[in-house]
Amino acid sequence: MCSMFVLRTLSKGCVLRSGYNIIRTMCSAETPKFETLQLTRPREFVVQVELSRPEKRNAMNTAFWREMVECFNYLSDDTDCRVVVVSAAGKMFTAGIDLTDLDGLVGTLQSKMDVGRKAFVAKKTIKAYQETFSVIEKCPKPVIAAIHNACIGGGIDMTSACDIRYCSQDAWFQIKEIDVGLAADVGTLQRFPKIVGNDSLTRELAYTARKFYADEAKQMGFISRIFPDKETMVQSALDVASLIASKSPVAVQGTKVSLVFSRDHSVPEGLEHIAMWNQAMLQSEDLMKAAMAQVQKKKATFSKL
């Protein structure tokens, strides 16, 4: 292969650079812009979502809670996205919820409104915050979290909703909510125990809010791989994302849907679910394309969904 890069202008004004690496860049008009998130397309069919409030330690403010839903709803329907990598700018992954940006909720709770009515308002807010991370799980595209340094409070909620979690050697984690006087309510207590499979340890970490570090996180199964530094981790996450993106999107997304469903249902229910799913998906052209590629020892190319 020629070592020089070849630039080709696409019909919409985008540029494809091909050579040893293939980097696909979308037009700015096609990819939405956010205040707290930065979306880029570093590899073909791979979107990187970067938390982008480094000056605030990527603390989760009101805009973040809204924009995550908008972002992942967009990516769910984006035919040019097959895998998502979530990373963060700056010195740490996230400090968790921005406690300086809760004026609306605090004002409601401190108002003279009837307690029952305040409770309904509070529940509506909590449910909206829960959707911020549930939307990651609902997204049919696999989501890889690349975590460096601190991952605190809401960071555990967010990454628990991701499919794959990698971290750098300097990473540390903390289920922090107890220390700020509340029970975690946007996903950690529901997803984290099922990920690590250790009820006693989950309760210890949730009740004490003690920090746990990369090696312990991997030992308990919360993290699957540890890398020496952030740069190596992000590049490795993108490599894995590219590998997944090269597979049949029908098969990959069907696998995620089945895994999420089966986690919360019995084995017989999970088997019935995948049987119903595959009675249609086995008719996809991807099955024949993949089979022929295996026989011919070639790389299959799959159409967009």
Side-chain angles (χ1 to χ4, degrees):
M1 181 184 293
C2 177
S3 61
M4 297 180 64
F5 289 107
V6 179
L7 297 180
R8 184 174 74 232
T9 302
L10 301 181
S11 59
K12 292 185 179 180
C14 303
V15 172
L16 178 67
R17 172 174 291 182
S18 59
Y20 286 124
N21 298 301
I22 298 176
I23 303 176
R24 184 176 175 281
T25 306
M26 295 293 293
C27 300
S28 59
E30 294 184 1
T31 302
K33 294 186 181 298
F34 299 102
E35 178 185 336
T36 66
L37 306 170
Q38 180 71 38
L39 270 64
T40 56
R41 299 177 185 265
R43 308 281 181 88
E44 189 175 23
F45 295 121
V46 175
V47 175
Q48 185 173 354
V49 177
E50 185 176 59
L51 309 190
S52 190
R53 294 186 77 211
E55 73 287 353
K56 297 293 185 180
R57 302 186 301 168
N58 295 314
M60 300 170 176
N61 63 356
T62 301
F64 169 85
W65 296 103
R66 180 188 70 254
E67 290 181 346
M68 281 289 286
V69 176
E70 295 171 357
C71 173
F72 275 90
N73 282 337
Y74 163 75
L75 294 177
S76 292
D77 294 333
D78 182 6
T79 59
D80 289 307
C81 172
R82 294 183 182 177
V83 188
V84 182
V85 173
V86 176
S87 61
K91 295 181 178 180
M92 68 167 57
F93 188 73
T94 179
I97 192 168
D98 189 342
L99 296 174
T100 68
D101 193 40
L102 295 175
D103 292 345
L105 179 59
V106 171
T108 298
L109 297 178
Q110 292 180 344
S111 73
K112 295 182 180 180
M113 188 188 303
D114 170 70
V115 65
R117 286 163 177 78
K118 286 195 289 186
F120 272 93
V121 173
K123 181 181 179 181
K124 184 178 180 180
T125 301
I126 293 168
K127 294 292 287 184
Y129 279 20
Q130 289 174 347
E131 184 64 14
T132 296
F133 301 139
S134 290
V135 74
I136 299 174
E137 191 171 81
K138 293 175 183 177
C139 175
K141 288 77 182 281
V143 180
I144 303 172
I147 306 159
H148 74 284
N149 200 264
C151 180
I152 303 169
I156 304 288
D157 294 293
M158 178 171 61
T159 55
S160 293
C162 295
D163 297 271
I164 299 168
R165 287 163 295 277
Y166 296 154
C167 76
S168 55
Q169 188 63 61
D170 69 345
W172 57 275
F173 306 83
Q174 188 175 22
I175 302 174
K176 183 70 172 175
E177 285 81 357
I178 285 285
D179 279 351
V180 294
L182 57 88
D185 58 4
V186 290
T188 291
L189 301 184
Q190 292 69 40
R191 296 186 177 99
F192 187 87
K194 294 180 179 181
I195 293 169
V196 303
N198 187 326
D199 182 73
S200 177
L201 179 59
T202 297
R203 290 169 188 263
E204 175 194 330
L205 296 173
Y207 296 159
T208 65
R210 76 165 175 85
K211 297 178 182 179
F212 57 101
Y213 296 85
D215 290 337
E216 184 179 5
K218 185 174 185 296
Q219 183 181 31
M220 70 176 68
F222 187 64
I223 295 296
S224 54
R225 295 176 67 183
I226 300 173
F227 297 89
D229 53 60
K230 177 184 175 181
E231 182 179 359
T232 304
M233 170 189 63
V234 171
Q235 290 305 311
S236 296
L238 292 173
D239 288 343
V240 173
S242 291
L243 177 59
I244 296 170
S246 71
K247 311 294 184 181
S248 160
V250 171
V252 170
Q253 293 182 36
T255 298
K256 174 169 180 174
V257 169
S258 183
L259 284 169
V260 172
F261 181 91
S262 296
R263 180 198 62 193
D264 299 326
H265 294 79
S266 68
V267 171
E269 289 171 323
L271 290 171
E272 178 66 18
H273 177 268
I274 193 61
M276 293 291 289
W277 182 275
N278 268 1
Q279 70 181 12
M281 299 306 164
L282 287 176
Q283 301 177 59
S284 167
E285 65 179 23
D286 288 19
L287 182 64
M288 185 58 68
K289 283 185 176 181
M292 291 300 295
Q294 289 287 317
V295 171
Q296 297 173 358
K297 300 187 184 303
K298 295 180 179 180
K299 181 179 179 181
T301 300
F302 300 100
S303 303
K304 297 178 183 179
L305 279 182

